[in-house]
Amino acid sequence: MLPNVLRTNAADHVPVLADEVLELLSVQPGETVVDGTFGAGGHSRLLLEDLRSDGKLVAIDRDPTVRPYFDRLKASVRGVQLRFLRGDYAIVLRQLASNGVRADVVLLDLGLSSMQVDRPERGFSYATDAPLDMRMDTSDESSAADVLASWSERELATIFRSFGEERYARQIARGIVRRRKEAPIERTGELVDVVRASIPTPARFGEGHPAKRVFQALRIEVNHELESLEAGLPAAFEMLRPGGRLAVISFHSLEDRIAKRFLRDRVRGCTCPPELPVCVCGREPEARLLTTKPVRPSAHEVELNPRAASARLRVAVKMDNA
Ligand SMILES: C[S@@+](CC[C@H](N)C(=O)[O-])C[C@H]1O[C@@H](n2cnc3c(N)ncnc32)[C@H](O)[C@@H]1O
């Protein structure tokens, strides 16, 4: 059979690092799989194939517009129990873990789906003029326009710098505060104009779109993406049965750092200071890494899907004693 990265049928949306995810998660018939970031269901569809009509799949997403993708997937499978739970995976996984639900596999494929980026009315894209929304969960209170209207110059500069690694964070925050005194910034096009006007002329023509980093930072803030990951990882790990696998695909260095730190802490055994002659903490490793370094997409995958370029996959297996 063709590797997944080479499947070109448009109806078969090929998810990021598909072959690597399937190989490392090695789903077996009868297992329970939790897809914490269902999106268009690309990974779920492939993981379901490995269940071979025997097992359970729990799909979670905070975006209500993914529901038709789940319904379509559900209608196409036999034998597997499928359930969709709408909400922040950090909250849903915690509830499932507290209710004693156990899983053999939890997958988190972080960030935005292509369909969110490609629908201009969602306000995630700097490429088309649209309302500045950026909420993954459309029932959330605060949109990107609300953040731009209410945050101080210093707070805006901090998120542009830390979540967007934006070099001109301070200048852009100052430009936003100046502009909003004249009129609220409510459209993506208006934000792009402010960014362009706030940065030095050569930076407007540098690599990539000049507003890319500011849009990324705002999206991470509006959706509390890092908080969800910090809270979701322990809940996901708690849900796993011994031998269960946890996979995280991140697209941003801050996300990857959180995943790396979390997994490293589970893998570490004794935490006694080196000067102690014997271990007194008695701590045993709770997990084993299946990826010592993050797995990156091949050049071929990036050529076929440029959005995969920054993806990094980390996978660990829960030990029997954990
Ligand atoms: C990169 S896409 C997943 C794509 C999916 N793996 C596929 O193959 O179609 C990320 C999805 O996760 C959802 N998402 C992001 N953060 C979330 C969170 N904290 N809780 C629940 N869903 C989240 C987004 O709404 C989006 O649909």
Side-chain angles (χ1 to χ4, degrees):
M1 196 168 88
L2 276 177
N4 284 299
V5 73
L6 293 178
R7 287 199 201 174
T8 49
N9 179 352
D12 269 6
H13 152 72
V14 177
V16 168
L17 289 164
D19 292 308
E20 294 81 352
V21 166
L22 290 185
E23 191 185 326
L24 286 159
L25 289 180
S26 177
V27 168
Q28 303 299 313
E31 290 194 325
T32 299
V33 173
V34 177
D35 182 347
T37 50
F38 180 77
H43 285 110
S44 277
R45 181 175 49 77
L46 298 174
L47 295 166
L48 274 169
E49 286 176 15
D50 284 353
L51 282 176
R52 297 182 194 280
S53 307
D54 178 14
K56 290 187 192 146
L57 182 117
V58 179
I60 303 168
D61 205 295
R62 65 190 347 188
D63 185 338
T65 69
V66 311
R67 184 67 206 225
Y69 293 86
F70 175 80
D71 291 340
R72 210 170 306 146
L73 185 65
K74 187 169 179 178
S76 71
V77 295
R78 295 281 167 270
V80 175
Q81 284 179 40
L82 271 90
R83 215 171 138 198
F84 181 75
L85 299 170
R86 182 159 96 77
D88 182 337
Y89 63 72
I91 295 170
V92 178
L93 292 173
R94 171 57 53 215
Q95 285 166 343
L96 292 172
S98 306
N99 289 332
V101 178
R102 292 292 171 257
D104 299 287
V105 161
V106 180
L107 168 67
L108 297 176
D109 174 20
L110 303 171
L112 285 179
S113 69
S114 301
M115 83 212 165
Q116 286 166 331
V117 183
D118 293 341
R119 285 190 192 145
E121 71 277 13
R122 302 297 301 267
F124 288 110
S125 170
Y126 40 75
T128 351
D129 185 41
L132 199 46
D133 189 327
M134 298 197 192
R135 290 168 302 164
M136 288 182 189
D137 179 344
T138 43
S139 65
D140 277 354
E141 255 175 38
S142 211
S143 68
D146 296 326
V147 170
L148 291 188
S150 55
W151 283 44
S152 70
E153 184 177 323
R154 183 187 286 217
E155 287 168 331
L156 289 171
T158 302
I159 61 165
F160 297 155
R161 196 175 308 109
S162 42
F163 299 165
E165 293 169 81
E166 172 56 61
R167 197 169 156 199
Y168 302 105
R170 225 158 22 91
Q171 291 89 324
I172 295 168
R174 196 179 310 137
I176 287 169
V177 169
R178 202 178 300 135
R179 180 72 66 96
R180 79 185 180 196
K181 285 185 186 143
E182 294 157 22
I185 302 165
E186 290 177 336
R187 300 193 60 87
T188 53
E190 292 164 352
L191 178 57
V192 170
D193 287 346
V194 179
V195 171
R196 280 193 209 280
S198 307
I199 61 179
T201 311
R204 289 177 210 161
F205 305 100
E207 207 188 307
H209 193 284
K212 184 177 163 183
R213 288 172 294 278
V214 164
F215 271 64
Q216 171 181 290
L218 266 178
R219 186 207 92 205
I220 291 176
E221 176 52 41
V222 166
N223 296 292
H224 309 296
E225 292 178 34
L226 302 182
E227 290 94 322
S228 288
L229 186 59
E230 293 271 14
L233 287 171
F237 195 73
E238 190 181 325
M239 273 196 81
L240 286 180
R241 294 196 179 99
R245 288 83 71 204
L246 170 63
V248 184
I249 303 175
S250 59
F251 292 84
H252 185 278
S253 58
L254 291 175
E255 289 170 344
D256 185 55
R257 206 175 304 153
I258 293 170
K260 178 180 170 182
R261 194 172 4 97
F262 176 81
L263 295 178
R264 206 185 42 205
D265 284 353
R266 306 280 86 61
V267 165
R268 200 168 46 180
C270 167
T271 52
C272 294
E275 54 277 14
L276 283 188
V278 287
C279 168
V280 291
C281 73
R283 196 176 139 172
E284 300 278 340
E286 298 169 272
R288 180 168 55 82
L289 292 180
L290 297 182
T291 51
T292 39
K293 282 195 189 138
V295 177
R296 309 291 309 261
S298 64
H300 186 54
E301 176 167 359
V302 174
E303 199 181 312
L304 294 176
N305 176 14
R307 285 178 185 164
S310 56
R312 296 181 184 111
L313 166 67
R314 295 184 185 269
V315 187
V317 58
K318 190 170 182 172
M319 308 284 260
D320 288 346
N321 59 352

